[in-house]
């Protein structure tokens, strides 16, 4: 069994806050992780909508996409 928080690495107290397979030491850690996941999801959705080009001409790849590839 894990003995550290998935967000901050802190020790658990009497209560563990859970979200699916992740465990957190406080509600704040849980909310921070969920907020980070939501922002990453939004950024990836925006990257998927990036235009690939028109009339056979490709636009330069933005740095965020190049880092993911």
């Amino acid at each position: 069994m894990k003995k550290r928080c998935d967000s901050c690495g802190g020790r658990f107290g009497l209560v563990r806050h859970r979200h699916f397979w992740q465990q957190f030491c406080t509600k704040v850690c849980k909310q921070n992780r969920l907020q980070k996941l939501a922002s990453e999801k939004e950024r990836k959705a925006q990257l998927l909508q990036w235009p690939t080009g028109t009339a056979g001409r490709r636009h330069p790849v933005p740095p965020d996409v190049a880092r993911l590839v």
Side-chain angles (χ1 to χ4, degrees):
M1 181 174 262
K2 292 192 287 185
K3 297 183 180 180
R4 297 288 180 169
C5 176
D6 283 328
S7 179
C8 70
R11 291 182 167 232
F12 296 116
L14 295 175
V15 178
R16 291 184 191 195
H17 301 273
R18 293 181 170 92
H19 180 73
F20 290 102
W21 63 90
Q22 298 175 330
Q23 299 178 17
F24 306 98
C25 60
T26 63
K27 286 184 182 180
V28 174
C29 284
K30 180 180 174 182
Q31 291 301 322
N32 288 344
R33 177 59 70 101
L34 294 178
Q35 186 177 20
K36 182 178 176 182
L37 291 174
S39 66
E40 288 177 2
K41 181 180 176 182
E42 179 65 29
R43 187 178 67 84
K44 288 178 183 179
Q46 289 175 355
L47 290 175
L48 289 175
Q49 295 174 358
W50 182 261
T52 57
T54 57
R57 184 175 56 109
R58 295 191 65 183
H59 294 282
V61 178
D64 290 334
V65 175
R67 186 178 52 147
L68 293 175
V69 176

